């Protein structure tokens, strides 16, 4: 995952937080190290996931379900109404194309036969595991990791993922080794925030690294729906300019669609780069996020590495729950129900 870019409330906090800056970036819900256990990751998933889903999918001992060997064609049988994905079982999807994105991330395009939809909902994630001889954890159990598709629910004929590779990362080494024609087992969707057009006047989004993918799902939906009047401000932090994902999409929206404002943050700003340097601060929040006084007319979405999420909003709670609102957003006067942590 991405290197942490945690927010700070004060120099005291800054000092404290820099000491927890991890050597690898990861979601609040991803395994922090080792990468071998699937449990922490499942504990962090919301919607149908969380501990209940971990049990539901893998039994009390956490054993992942057996891949039935049934493929996408079967999932698209006449009894399947919503699309190629199944919430009940892993289905093998064939890799159609790999499109390199930057120095460590690529877009993986998986085929859906007969130009069918995936069955994704807005917003949702999926879980993946190796098809057949995929990566295993130290106990010999298949490694399972969640990903957020970058294709919209309306996309037909393929489902795409933008995935960053970690040296030694169990799943990302595997996915990045796949060649067109190889398969990946995918299960979902795992519902996240159920976004509806015009439910809010303004959305504020704070994302770090690959935490951008759920934001992109929502942004894409708004961009494609001209009747949606919601204004969106995205604060997106990365280590360097080269790490910014989906930048061409955001720059295009910023330029051509007045509903969107994009603010980049980098560890160090290259000459002439328009953005802020360092951590998300109270000033960044008050300058760019919709004001808390706007009550239920606004919503803030947060997704990124655990120290960043912790510092900005407090981490997620047990069993995929939202957890108590803390950190910069609590200090700034936001209420719990104004915030959603992906
Ligand atoms: C809801 C959700 C959606 C997500 N969506 C996306 C997405 O769209 N795109 C995306 O790229 N990611 C996404 N992620 C993150 C993804 O699920 C994985 O966590 C990530 O890809 C890393 O998985 P991995 O198995 O390769 O790494 P892991 O094996 O879990 O390891 C992570 C890191 O730890 C290091 N490591 C492994 N073992 C050790 C050890 N013993 N000691 C020290 N370090 C070690 C690895 O080298 C690696 O750098 C999402 C996560 C969540 C929770």
């Amino acid at each position: 995952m991405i290197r942490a870019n945690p927010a700070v409330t004060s120099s005291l906090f800054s000092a404290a937080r820099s000491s927890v800056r991890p050597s690898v970036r990861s979601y609040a819900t991803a395994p922090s190290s080792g990468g071998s256990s699937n449990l922490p990751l499942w504990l962090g998933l919301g919607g149908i996931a969380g501990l209940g889903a971990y049990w539901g999918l893998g039994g009390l001992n956490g054993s992942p379900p057996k891949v039935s060997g049934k493929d996408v064609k079967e999932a698209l049988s006449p009894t399947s109404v919503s699309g190629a994905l199944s919430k009940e079982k892993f289905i093998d999807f064939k890799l159609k194309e790999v499109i390199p994105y930057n120095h460590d991330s690529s877009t993986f395009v998986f085929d859906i036969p007969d130009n069918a939809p995936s069955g994704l909902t807005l917003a949702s994630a999926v879980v993946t595991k190796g098809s057949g001889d995929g990566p295993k954890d130290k106990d010999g159990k298949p490694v399972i990791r969640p990903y957020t598709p970058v294709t919209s629910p309306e996309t037909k004929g393929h489902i795409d993922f933008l995935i960053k590779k970690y040296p030694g990362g169990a799943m990302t080494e595997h996915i990045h080794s796949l060649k067109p024609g190889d398969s990946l087992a995918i299960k979902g969707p795992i519902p996240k925030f159920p976004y509806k057009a015009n439910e809010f006047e303004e959305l504020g989004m704070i994302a770090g690294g690959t935490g951008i993918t759920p934001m992109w799902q929502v942004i894409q939906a708004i961009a494609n729906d001209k009747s949606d009047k919601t204004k969106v401000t995205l604060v997106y932090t990365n280590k360097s300019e080269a790490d910014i994902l989906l930048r061409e999409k955001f720059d295009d929206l910023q330029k051509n669609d007045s509903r969107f404002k994009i603010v980049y943050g980098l560890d160090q700003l290259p000459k002439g780069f328009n953005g802020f340097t360092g951590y998300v601060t109270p000033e960044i929040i008050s300058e760019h996020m919709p004001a808390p006084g706007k009550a239920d007319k606004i919503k803030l979405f947060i997704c990124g590495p655990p120290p960043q999420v912790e510092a900005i909003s407090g981490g997620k709670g047990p069993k995929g729950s939202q957890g108590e609102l803390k950190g910069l957003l609590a200090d700034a006067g936001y209420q719990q129900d104004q915030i959603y942590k992906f």
Side-chain angles (χ1 to χ4, degrees), residues 239-251:
K239 187 179 170 194
S240 74
E241 190 174 7
D243 295 313
I244 301 174
L245 298 175
L246 300 167
R247 182 176 177 179
E248 67 290 351
K249 314 268 189 202
F250 299 132
D251 287 352

Side-chain angles (χ1 to χ4, degrees), residues 42 48-49 53 56-57 65-77 79-93 112 116-121 124-129 144 149 159 161 184-191:
W42 282 98
I48 63 165
L57 294 172
K66 296 222 167 10
V67 177
S68 67
K70 306 285 162 88
D71 66 6
V72 185
K73 276 270 186 196
E74 182 180 312
L76 290 169
S77 69
T79 52
S80 164
V81 285
S82 55
L85 288 166
S86 167
K87 285 185 182 180
E88 319 303 330
K89 62 187 180 198
F90 280 93
I91 292 176
D92 285 354
F93 286 75
I112 301 178
S118 61
L120 282 174
T121 56
S124 61
V126 301
V127 286
T128 64
K129 67 173 188 165
I144 298 177
I159 180 169
F161 300 88
L184 186 71
I186 304 177
K187 178 173 177 168
I190 299 160

Side-chain angles (χ1 to χ4, degrees), residues 41-264:
L41 179 144
W42 282 98
L43 290 172
L45 291 174
I48 63 165
L51 188 60
Y54 182 73
W55 286 345
L57 294 172
L60 286 171
N61 66 357
S63 308
K66 296 222 167 10
V67 177
S68 67
K70 306 285 162 88
D71 66 6
V72 185
K73 276 270 186 196
E74 182 180 312
L76 290 169
S77 69
T79 52
S80 164
V81 285
S82 55
L85 288 166
S86 167
K87 285 185 182 180
E88 319 303 330
K89 62 187 180 198
F90 280 93
I91 292 176
D92 285 354
F93 286 75
K94 205 168 260 187
L95 182 63
K96 194 153 90 173
E97 195 182 357
V98 181
I99 306 167
Y101 188 86
N102 65 8
H103 58 107
D104 60 10
S105 303
S106 293
T107 302
F108 294 84
V109 180
F110 289 90
D111 186 46
I112 301 178
D114 304 329
N115 206 33
S118 61
L120 282 174
T121 56
L122 183 67
S124 61
V126 301
V127 286
T128 64
K129 67 173 188 165
S131 162
D133 199 19
K136 306 275 190 297
D137 67 16
K138 60 179 171 25
D139 300 321
K141 292 180 179 150
V143 168
I144 298 177
R145 297 282 184 268
Y147 291 96
T148 309
V150 289
T151 33
S152 74
E154 287 75 37
T155 303
K156 293 180 177 168
H158 59 106
I159 180 169
D160 303 358
F161 300 88
L162 180 53
I163 296 178
K164 174 176 168 148
K165 181 179 177 180
Y166 288 91
M171 184 56 82
T172 54
E173 288 272 12
H174 174 69
I175 293 178
H176 277 260
S177 76
L178 295 176
K179 304 271 174 297
D182 293 342
S183 293
L184 186 71
I186 304 177
K187 178 173 177 168
I190 299 160
K192 294 289 194 170
F193 187 83
Y195 179 77
K196 286 184 223 68
N198 295 311
E199 186 179 355
F200 306 104
E201 286 179 4
E202 285 180 66
L203 291 180
M205 300 179 175
I206 304 177
T210 55
I212 195 64
T213 51
M215 310 299 181
W216 172 241
Q217 274 193 349
V218 175
I219 288 175
Q220 197 176 188
I222 296 171
N224 291 336
D225 179 1
K226 294 297 170 209
S227 73
D228 190 342
K229 304 294 175 214
T230 311
K231 285 197 172 348
V232 180
T233 302
L234 167 69
V235 169
Y236 182 24
T237 61
N238 279 283
K239 187 179 170 194
S240 74
E241 190 174 7
D243 295 313
I244 301 174
L245 298 175
L246 300 167
R247 182 176 177 179
E248 67 290 351
K249 314 268 189 202
F250 299 132
D251 287 352
D252 180 57
L253 286 173
Q254 169 119 290
K255 202 164 143 204
N256 299 310
D257 192 329
S258 60
R259 293 174 295 172
F260 296 96
K261 183 173 141 198
I262 316 294
V263 183
Y264 296 115

